[in-house]
C-alpha cells in the first residue's frame, strides 16, 4: 500500500504539474519545480498544507511571477479544495483495505470510490492526518464497512505517515501550480520574473 501510493503520488507530481505549467505558460516547467523545492520540504516535514502557506505565497508572488491578488485567493482555497494527493490516497487506500478484507472491488466500486474521494478531499482540513481520517468516509461510502475493513483501516492509520507526507507535498505544489496557471490565463503572469 505504502509503496504503490508513494509511487503514484511522485509520478503525478513529476509529470502532471510540469505538463500543466508548460502548457499554460509556455515556460520551462523545471524552473517551477526547482523554485518549489523549499516549499515542498516544509509541506513534507509538516505533513500539513497550512504551515507551508506563507512560504508558498512568497514563492508564488516573488519568484514565480504570480499576481498577488490571484495568489491570495488561490492558495487558501486550494488548501481545502485542491487536494489531488488526498484523493489519490483515498482510492488506493480503500481498494487496498477492501482487497485485504477479501471483498471484490468492481469497476462500479472504483467509480464510487473516485467520486467519494474527490468529494471527501474537497472538505479535508489542511492539518496533519486529516486525509487518513476522511479515508473512512470513502471506505464506508463505497460499501466496505465490515468489521474486518475497520480493523485493516486502523492498521492503515498506523502506517500512513509516509503517504501523508508525500501527498501533502503534492497538494501544496498543486496549489502553486494552480496559482501560476490562473495568473497566466488572466494575463497577470510575469514571465521575466518566472524565468
Amino acid at each position: 500500500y505504502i509503496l504503490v501510493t508513494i509511487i503514484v503520488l511522485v509520478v503525478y507530481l513529476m509529470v502532471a504539474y510540469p505538463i500543466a505549467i508548460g502548457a499554460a505558460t509556455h515556460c520551462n516547467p523545471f524552473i517551477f519545480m526547482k523554485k518549489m523545492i523549499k516549499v515542498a520540504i516544509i509541506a513534507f516535514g509538516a505533513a500539513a498544507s497550512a504551515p507551508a502557506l506563507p512560504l508558498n505565497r512568497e514563492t508564488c508572488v516573488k519568484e514565480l511571477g504570480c499576481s498577488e491578488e490571484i495568489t491570495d485567493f488561490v492558495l487558501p482555497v486550494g488548501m481545502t479544495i485542491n487536494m489531488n494527493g488526498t484523493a489519490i490516497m483515498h482510492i488506493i487506500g480503500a481498494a487496498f483495505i477492501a482487497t485485504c478484507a477479501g471483498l471484490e472491488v468492481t469497476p462500479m466500486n472504483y467509480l464510487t470510490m473516485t467520486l467519494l474521494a474527490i468529494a471527501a478531499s474537497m472538505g479535508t482540513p489542511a492539518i496533519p492526518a486529516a486525509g487518513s481520517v476522511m479515508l473512512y468516509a470513502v471506505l464506508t461510502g463505497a460499501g466496505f464497512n465490515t468489521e474486518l475493513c475497520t480493523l485493516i483501516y486502523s492498521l492503515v492509520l498506523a502506517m500512513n505517515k509516509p503517504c501523508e507526507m508525500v501527498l501533502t507535498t503534492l497538494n501544496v505544489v498543486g496549489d502553486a501550480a494552480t496559482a501560476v496557471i490562473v495568473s497566466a490565463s488572466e494575463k497577470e503572469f510575469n514571465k521575466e520574473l518566472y524565468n
Side-chain angles (χ1 to χ4, degrees), residues 69-151:
E69 192 175 84
I70 290 171
T71 302
D72 289 341
F73 177 76
V74 169
L75 293 185
V77 170
M79 281 186 358
T80 305
I81 294 176
N82 184 24
M83 294 204 161
N84 300 330
T86 306
I88 290 168
M89 186 271 293
H90 285 166
I91 297 165
I92 296 170
F96 171 78
I97 291 166
T99 304
C100 286
L103 302 173
E104 182 184 358
V105 184
T106 64
M108 192 61 186
N109 290 129
Y110 277 110
L111 179 63
T112 304
M113 288 187 301
T114 301
L115 295 174
L116 289 170
I118 292 168
S121 69
M122 283 194 275
T124 304
I127 58 173
S132 297
V133 175
M134 295 300 287
L135 172 59
Y136 192 72
V138 174
L139 197 62
T140 55
F144 303 129
N145 52 358
T146 66
E147 210 171 288
L148 187 54
C149 284
T150 305
L151 178 64

Side-chain angles (χ1 to χ4, degrees), residues 52-66:
L53 179 61
L55 183 59
N56 201 2
R57 182 198 181 281
E58 186 178 316
T59 303
C60 285
V61 173
K62 294 182 178 174
E63 294 180 39
L64 295 174
C66 298

Side-chain angles (χ1 to χ4, degrees), residues 179-193:
V180 170
I181 291 166
V182 171
S183 292
S185 71
E186 294 297 315
K187 309 286 189 269
E188 293 189 34
F189 176 64
N190 185 342
K191 272 191 181 183
E192 291 167 12
L193 185 59

